[in-house]
Every structure is written in structure tokens, then in C-alpha cells.
Amino acid sequence: KIASPCHVQPEPCRAGVAFMILRFRLVAILGASVCTRAFTLLEAVSRDGLRLTSPRMMATPAGLAILFDCDGVLADTERDGHRVSFNRVFEERGFDFEWTVEEYGRMCEVGGGKERMTAYLNGFNGYRTSGWPAGYESPTTESLTKGLPDDPRRLELVRELHARKTALFQELIGSGVVPLRPGVLRVVDEAIAAEVPLAVCSTSNEAAVRTLVE
């Protein structure tokens, strides 16, 4: 419940943990996705009989904690990280296309990097009408399994591209060129000063998340 534009009244949940934002708009930090993931985690903790009762958490007011998502919450890693890394891979391979911000935003409707490239090359939403790169135009089959090509050569291609993209993304995050979203650092600093526990809940690559957090 939002009590004011810059304060959130915490509500109890099954595992006794609530969300609290210090002087920051809820919508700027916690979206529906992170709330869903966080409560799913808390339900699993409760179901498995575990307890979130570390000394640090119990020392905080009312047992409060702040749970962040990563991509798009701590930093705009999709636009400034993943998209840039994909385009660098495309350039390295000599492909004649790149993803604009608007285009990549639509491509994010497809979950998973390998699946995203597959959908794009297959003409997702009318994009990439010229099809697959030279040498990959005539697959043994056009069928897909869980969004990935059944054709061995096409599958190998998207796997290679994604592996290289992940390496480039790690370098990009490690270089510090992807900035935190406005206000995030202030929220973190104030939470630490108030001894409120912080955590990041994400399905992204763990090493990339750790690099960004550090």
C-alpha cells in the first residue's frame, strides 16, 4: 500500500518479511515481476520449513527487508547491457543488422537470449525479413523445440552467439559503464545506514548480477 509518493507501508506476509522503500517511489524500484518472485521465494521458504530469522534481520524494525530485481531495476541492463552486447556479437560476425532500443524492447517479449535471436531470425513481429545469415538459409527442418531450432547448425549458431554475448556482457558490466538507475544508490545507502537487510532476486546470470552488485 502506497501511503505517499515516497513511502510504502509494509504489510505482513507468510514468512514475516515485508517490503519497505526508504524515500523512493515504489514503481521506480519494485515492479510486479520482482514482487512475484519475492513472494514465490517466501512461499517456498515457508513451505520447506525454513526461517528467515538471521540476527541481522531480527535486529531491524519489524523484521523488514528490501528485495530488488536486477535487470531494469538496479540498472537498465537490458537496454544498455544485453542489447549492446548482442549488437557487438552481430558486428563481430559480420551480420548486416543490429537491434535498436525500440526493436530490442519488442524482442524482450521473447524470454531467453538464444530464443530471442531465433525468433528474430525467423521474422518475429516482422523483423529480420531477410531471414538467417548466409549459410543457414536451408535448414534440415524449420521446427523449434522450446523456442530453439531443431536444425543442428542453426542451434549451434545461436548457442555460439549467446555464449559470446554473455562474455561481452560480463566485460561491459565489469567496466562500470552501465550506470545504476537514478536513486538506487541512495536507497541502498539509506537502507544500510538503517540496518535494513538487502537482497537481489533475479533469474539473470549469477556472475553478472554479482558484478553489478559489487
Side-chain angles (χ1 to χ4, degrees), residues 70-81 84 172-185 212:
C70 182
D71 292 324
V73 176
L74 293 181
D76 201 343
T77 48
E78 290 291 1
R79 183 192 65 189
D80 300 328
V84 172
L172 197 63
I173 294 297
S175 69
V177 299
V178 178
L180 294 176
R181 297 194 68 174
V184 168
L185 187 58
L212 182 63

Side-chain angles (χ1 to χ4, degrees), residues 5-207:
C6 58
H7 182 69
V8 178
Q9 291 287 354
E11 294 181 328
C13 64
R14 187 176 303 177
V17 179
F19 299 107
M20 181 179 70
I21 301 301
L22 302 174
R23 301 184 181 89
F24 199 85
R25 292 179 183 272
L26 177 66
V27 294
I29 291 295
L30 295 177
S33 62
V34 67
C35 290
T36 299
R37 294 178 191 176
F39 277 101
T40 299
L41 172 63
L42 296 175
E43 288 174 0
V45 168
S46 178
R47 183 177 61 250
D48 294 338
L50 302 176
R51 294 183 179 181
L52 297 178
T53 55
S54 67
R56 181 172 175 79
M57 176 168 288
M58 292 303 293
T60 62
L64 300 178
I66 299 178
L67 307 182
F68 293 97
D69 195 354
C70 182
D71 292 324
V73 176
L74 293 181
D76 201 343
T77 48
E78 290 291 1
R79 183 192 65 189
D80 300 328
H82 292 292
R83 183 187 67 88
V84 172
S85 300
F86 273 119
N87 284 338
R88 288 184 180 178
V89 174
F90 299 156
E91 183 180 8
E92 286 181 355
R93 296 297 291 261
F95 298 158
D96 60 350
F97 56 85
E98 67 175 19
W99 287 344
T100 64
V101 172
E102 180 182 2
E103 199 168 39
Y104 187 73
R106 290 192 179 185
M107 292 310 305
C108 283
E109 294 176 22
V110 179
K114 295 185 290 292
E115 294 83 354
R116 194 167 296 154
M117 285 185 288
T118 299
Y120 178 80
L121 294 169
N122 279 336
F124 174 79
N125 274 357
Y127 291 132
R128 188 56 187 167
T129 54
S130 58
W132 288 72
Y136 296 89
E137 307 98 322
S138 303
T140 56
T141 176
E142 294 281 358
S143 65
L144 305 175
T145 299
K146 295 183 177 180
L148 296 177
D150 287 329
D151 177 72
R153 294 191 67 249
R154 285 187 172 183
L155 180 59
E156 181 182 10
L157 174 65
V158 295
R159 283 176 172 171
E160 288 178 355
L161 294 175
H162 191 262
R164 177 57 179 156
K165 170 260 169 186
T166 299
L168 290 172
F169 178 76
Q170 290 281 73
E171 294 175 5
L172 197 63
I173 294 297
S175 69
V177 299
V178 178
L180 294 176
R181 297 194 68 174
V184 168
L185 187 58
R186 176 170 59 82
V187 171
V188 170
D189 286 342
E190 294 190 15
I192 292 174
E195 297 188 345
V196 175
L198 299 166
V200 176
C201 307
S202 178
T203 58
S204 297
N205 180 278
E206 182 179 346

